[in-house]
């Protein structure tokens, strides 16, 4: 049986963002019509072999989780407001994940906003990458 830790680490960010009241859209919960503004989050967890904190016996105990937070809105003002809300919800927070000692969430990168008019009305997508290291 696989462990649940990758999902638990993904949920750490999603729970903090859900508390903002901004809709979270994912592949399982795509509404019939998309809200005018929302978050879409992709998560990746890696176990770097040269990370500080890994066990001397070679066991990977230091994990790095990245959350790629898409801030989707109808204009630049909307995505800036969304990015401020996600920053307030995530930056410098220390989530609780069973079996892990979590560091503070840090902002790692920001990609320029992208316009998309292919699916109908204009939407802007601003991607901010947040990162957290945990050990356990």
């Amino acid at each position: 049986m696989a462990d649940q830790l990758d999902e638990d680490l993904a949920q750490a960010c999603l729970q903090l963002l859900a508390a903002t009241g901004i809709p979270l859209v994912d592949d399982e919960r795509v509404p019939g019509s998309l809200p005018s503004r929302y978050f879409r989050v992709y998560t990746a967890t890696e176990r770097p072999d040269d990370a500080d904190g890994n066990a001397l016996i070679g066991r990977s105990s230091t994990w790095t989780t990245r959350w790629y937070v898409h801030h989707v809105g109808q204009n630049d003002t909307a995505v800036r407001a969304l990015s401020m809300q996600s920053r307030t919800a995530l930056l410098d927070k220390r989530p609780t994940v069973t079996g892990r000692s979590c560091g503070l969430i840090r902002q790692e990168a920001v990609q320029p906003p992208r316009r998309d008019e292919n699916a109908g009305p204009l939407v802007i997508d601003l991607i901010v990458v947040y990162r957290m290291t945990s050990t356990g």
Side-chain angles (χ1 to χ4, degrees), residues 56-119:
L56 293 176
I57 60 171
R59 186 175 146 259
S60 296
S61 62
T62 301
W63 297 3
T64 301
T65 302
R66 287 181 178 82
W67 298 283
Y68 301 82
V69 182
H70 291 249
H71 306 78
V72 182
Q74 294 177 323
N75 54 48
D76 289 335
T77 303
V79 296
R80 282 194 302 273
L82 286 171
S83 70
M84 288 184 280
Q85 289 178 297
S86 73
R87 183 182 66 231
T88 299
L90 299 174
L91 188 63
D92 299 328
K93 300 297 189 290
R94 187 183 310 274
T96 301
V97 176
T98 303
R100 306 296 297 164
S101 174
C102 297
L104 297 173
I105 296 174
R106 299 296 188 200
Q107 184 180 30
E108 184 171 80
V110 178
Q111 297 179 10
R114 293 180 295 170
R115 297 172 58 92
D116 184 358
E117 298 178 67
N118 293 326

